[in-house]
Amino acid sequence: MPHLSLQPVWRALAAACLALLANSAGAGEPPSAPERVMERVLRMTEFLDTMLPGVLDEHNMTFHFRPKFSDLRDEEYMRFPLEIRYGIKRNWELSAGVTPHIPSPFNSGRDHRWGAGEAKFGTRHDVGRLVGFFDETTIGVETRAPLGNPPIELNDHYAHIKPFVAAAHTLSIWPSTTFYANLSYDRSVTLTTRDAPPPEVVRRHVIEVAPGILYKPSQLGYFTEYRFQHIAEPDAWHLRHEFRAGTIWDIPLKRTEKWRLPGKWQLELAYRYIHEEGRDRGHGILTRVNWRTSLREVIEHANGKNSLSRR
């Protein structure tokens, strides 16, 4: 039976999404004062797997939901990352989340099942101008732990402790352009209370450096990024290189209010090229929806009230 390639379909979908973003993100009315407050609370602090500096203000709480639509194409399951963040004090933020998964409606196999996936806990601290070049710097640590028997691509059955630094510098000659950089060390940790991981899993410790450029003059932005990884395994180490280029649409609050969608919605689309030493080179399209909302907005929408008009 001939193999049906989905690459032309995904490329056409990506082109259509880019055209939609370009046509839909035109200049509109300037945001009102309540909208500016909400924009600050729900400001963009990440896209795809990239972190930007910044933490929540004290006593603010937000909810984040980031489904990965590439699971429909590549996996036998679909994951639904949920996260809560809370500003515990000035310049400090705590987070907790879970990534449950369900069977994919399109692919079947060993991982076509339900599960809790993994749990995640983290803390972030905004240290401001830590290094002379960067305007903003945030340091933190994130811990991930498997729950039950998750698919290997979701969690490799090890717990992971990842300290990180996220820094950014706005270019003075191009105020809409930001140079950013992520530095992290992802270390695998064995949990003695769990069974041994599957035999095909290779334990890894990963050092990653990811510089990039973000051009975002309005709600629509574009970015290009290079990721360099040093991957240490039990018997050897090797390098991994990845290039990404894409677009982000931070949908205006006025528009989502008209659609009766609470919170801030962010559409992310990128092309990536991967070269991992000792393995085949690869490329593909990344698509993701990033939804975040505040506790106050959840309560107001549950009561049938318009969050912006009440502020």
Side-chain angles (χ1 to χ4, degrees):
M1 183 176 179
H3 175 69
L4 178 62
S5 174
L6 293 179
Q7 282 193 3
V9 177
W10 283 101
R11 288 174 182 171
L13 177 61
C17 289
L18 283 171
L20 175 63
L21 296 183
N23 292 331
S24 302
E29 297 180 5
S32 63
E35 285 177 318
R36 287 195 295 269
V37 172
M38 282 297 294
E39 292 280 4
R40 173 172 171 76
V41 173
L42 303 176
R43 66 189 183 278
M44 186 177 77
T45 58
E46 61 190 345
F47 56 92
L48 296 175
D49 303 312
T50 298
M51 294 176 290
L52 296 175
V55 298
L56 284 173
D57 292 337
E58 189 173 1
H59 303 317
N60 277 324
M61 178 181 290
T62 58
F63 300 87
H64 298 249
F65 179 53
R66 297 186 299 276
K68 298 186 177 183
F69 290 99
S70 58
D71 289 347
L72 289 171
R73 175 194 61 196
D74 301 328
E75 309 296 349
E76 299 158 3
Y77 59 89
M78 289 187 63
R79 72 195 96 176
F80 297 95
L82 300 165
E83 187 177 21
I84 298 175
R85 298 181 181 178
Y86 179 65
I88 56 171
K89 57 189 301 186
R90 186 174 181 271
N91 297 332
W92 281 93
E93 175 184 299
L94 292 180
S95 63
V98 65
T99 307
H101 59 93
I102 65 172
S104 169
F106 302 109
N107 303 318
S108 61
R110 181 183 65 178
D111 293 330
H112 189 259
R113 50 194 168 88
W114 303 78
E118 70 173 13
K120 184 172 75 171
F121 303 93
T123 182
R124 293 163 63 107
H125 176 50
D126 190 2
V127 296
R129 188 184 289 271
L130 182 63
V131 182
F133 175 75
F134 292 105
D135 306 320
E136 298 179 90
T137 308
T138 297
I139 61 175
V141 62
E142 177 184 286
T143 301
R144 298 185 293 115
L147 299 175
N149 185 36
I152 294 173
E153 291 296 326
L154 193 158
N155 184 286
D156 60 2
H157 293 249
Y158 285 103
H160 291 258
I161 299 176
K162 185 172 79 171
F164 62 84
V165 179
H169 171 74
T170 301
L171 304 185
S172 57
I173 56 175
W174 298 308
S176 299
T177 304
T178 301
F179 172 80
Y180 63 85
N182 288 181
L183 171 63
S184 64
Y185 174 52
D186 189 331
R187 183 170 183 83
S188 302
V189 179
T190 303
L191 295 180
T192 57
T193 57
R194 291 184 57 84
D195 296 334
E200 63 267 31
V201 171
V202 177
R203 187 174 181 180
R204 291 179 158 194
H205 307 310
V206 181
I207 299 174
E208 180 179 78
V209 180
I213 295 288
L214 172 65
Y215 174 68
K216 197 169 182 289
S218 60
Q219 303 287 358
L220 182 65
Y222 306 90
F223 72 94
T224 181
E225 180 179 289
Y226 167 68
R227 289 172 172 258
F228 170 80
Q229 292 183 341
H230 178 281
I231 302 172
E233 297 178 347
D235 299 323
W237 61 268
H238 65 278
L239 303 178
R240 184 179 186 271
H241 309 271
E242 180 176 336
F243 168 79
R244 294 183 179 184
T247 185
I248 307 160
W249 186 25
D250 213 12
I251 304 178
L253 286 171
K254 278 188 177 181
R255 182 160 301 189
T256 54
E257 283 288 334
K258 290 180 181 179
W259 296 340
R260 300 186 182 278
L261 296 175
K264 187 71 171 172
W265 294 77
Q266 181 177 308
L267 304 184
E268 306 162 358
L269 175 67
Y271 168 82
R272 69 173 175 178
Y273 173 81
I274 301 171
H275 175 210
E276 186 168 347
E277 294 178 354
R279 303 193 177 190
D280 293 337
R281 304 187 183 195
H283 64 95
I285 297 294
L286 296 174
T287 56
R288 196 170 303 176
V289 172
N290 191 327
W291 175 69
R292 50 198 185 272
T293 188
S294 65
L295 177 61
R296 178 184 295 179
E297 192 168 22
V298 169
I299 295 174
E300 290 181 346
H301 274 269
N303 295 330
K305 300 174 182 178
N306 185 296
S307 60
L308 292 181
S309 63
R310 295 282 294 177
R311 287 180 172 80

